[in-house]
Every structure is written in C-alpha cells, then in structure tokens.
Amino acid sequence: MNMEINLWIRSYIDGRIRIRNPLLKKLDVTTVTTFKEKALCIKGIQTLEINPKVGSLLLLWDKHQLNRQEIENYLVLWFSTIQTQTSIPSRTVTNISSKKMDTNCQDARNTIQKIYEKSMDCIAPIMAPNSGSLRRSRRVAQNRLMLGLATASIASIALNTRWHATLGYAFSAFLVIHLYQHRRVL
C-alpha cells in the first residue's frame, strides 16, 4: 500500500474512495475535465468527482474489475501529474505509523480519563453527599461545578478581569469535559 496516498484517504469501501489533498485545491476547470476524461477511459472506473474548493476527490469503480492496489497506483500517477503541473510540494511522510499514533492518542485519552475519574471521585462525596451511587455523585458534582463556575464567571465580570479570565478558562475546561462525556447524546 502506498504510504503517501494512505495519508490522504478519508474513507474507503471496496468500490468507493474519498481523498482530501491540497493539490486538488484550486485546480482549473480544464485540468479537472481532463482528469475525469482520462479516468473514465479506464475499464472499471465508473465516476470521478473532483471538488477543487475543498480539495476532495471521490472515485467510484467496479470492485470486481479493479482492486485497491490498482486504484492506488492510478491515484499515485494522477497526483504526480498534478504535482508537476502545479509545483506544490507534497506532504512529507513521517516515520510514525498511523497505528502507533492511534495507540498514543488512545493512551493519552485513557490517562486523562483516569485522572478525571480520580479527581471526581475525590470531589463527588464532598459536593454531592447522599446522592446514592458513585456514578450519580460524580454527575451531581459535575453539574454543581459547572453551575458554580458559570455563576462565578458572571459575578467576576464586575469584580476583576484577571479572575474573570481564570474562571472562564476553568469553566471552559469543565464544559469541554462535560461535552466529551456526553457526546453520544448530543
């Protein structure tokens, strides 16, 4: 699999691929038309759509006539042609694999989640006693923290801009945590 093309793939299903690449941005109409004509001459390719405003390419093909490797080879050829025409430098490929980056991101996310849960476990019994389960205590404590920070932020507008900024950042941090936790519901 071609590593550079793999960096630009946004979605892939057998028979359909979407690529975002800055080389596709601001292509003129004649270049887009030429690439469409060349692509449609290849047996098995059904449609090619290029959106130069966002730098997007959507390619549909018959999965029984062409496989992923053949499609990637065509894409490499097309992008090399576009690159020589536009003379925009290509994105450099780093040595970090996407799996390693995903693992690192997941590890960081898990660490942040553990720190948050431990801090909420400490705060919840103080802020929400007699709330029942620990999970409910966390939720009640989080809601009270959000309410307190919102009130403090509003009150600090009249008192001091430094405190207003500090409390605003804290409020924003709790808001981000809250929205992250409830992203499935939103």
Side-chain angles (χ1 to χ4, degrees):
M1 184 181 304
N2 189 313
M3 183 64 174
E4 186 152 348
I5 288 296
N6 199 30
L7 290 172
W8 302 111
I9 295 174
R10 293 297 177 248
S11 67
Y12 173 83
I13 301 172
D14 283 336
R16 180 186 184 277
I17 192 168
R18 178 172 300 277
I19 291 183
R20 293 268 174 120
N21 188 315
L23 291 174
L24 297 170
K25 286 187 176 182
K26 299 178 183 171
L27 287 179
D28 56 37
V29 178
T30 56
T31 307
V32 171
T33 306
T34 304
F35 277 99
K36 282 184 180 181
E37 290 172 358
K38 288 180 181 179
L40 294 175
C41 291
I42 299 169
K43 186 177 180 181
I45 293 183
Q46 297 167 345
T47 61
L48 173 70
E49 296 176 20
I50 297 176
N51 185 344
K53 290 181 183 175
V54 295
S56 174
L57 176 141
L58 177 66
L59 181 65
L60 303 175
W61 72 92
D62 183 3
K63 62 183 176 183
H64 301 293
Q65 292 182 358
L66 295 169
N67 63 25
R68 182 177 179 150
Q69 187 59 48
E70 291 171 323
I71 293 297
E72 287 181 0
N73 290 341
Y74 285 125
L75 289 170
V76 168
L77 178 66
W78 294 337
F79 282 118
S80 64
T81 306
I82 292 172
Q83 187 172 358
T84 56
Q85 287 180 351
T86 58
S87 69
I88 297 174
S90 67
R91 180 177 176 174
T92 57
V93 179
T94 60
N95 292 332
I96 301 172
S97 68
S98 60
K99 282 186 178 181
K100 187 174 182 180
M101 287 177 63
D102 290 344
T103 305
N104 290 343
C105 290
Q106 188 64 35
D107 290 344
R109 192 176 301 135
N110 290 340
T111 304
I112 291 170
Q113 185 68 29
K114 286 177 186 176
I115 291 170
Y116 169 75
E117 287 174 359
K118 285 181 181 179
S119 63
M120 286 306 290
D121 288 346
C122 295
I123 295 172
I126 298 167
M127 290 192 70
N130 305 326
S131 292
S133 69
L134 182 60
R135 186 175 177 172
R136 179 162 169 71
S137 295
R138 280 185 196 163
R139 192 174 70 235
V140 170
Q142 186 178 18
N143 289 340
R144 289 181 181 169
L145 281 171
M146 294 292 286
L147 179 64
L149 282 171
T151 305
S153 294
I154 292 169
S156 68
I157 290 172
L159 301 176
N160 188 337
T161 57
R162 190 176 122 239
W163 278 105
H164 172 69
T166 304
L167 292 172
Y169 289 131
F171 175 75
S172 298
F174 278 109
L175 179 64
V176 168
I177 291 169
H178 177 76
L179 292 174
Y180 176 76
Q181 287 180 331
H182 301 289
R183 66 189 178 280
R184 292 185 184 142
V185 178
L186 301 174

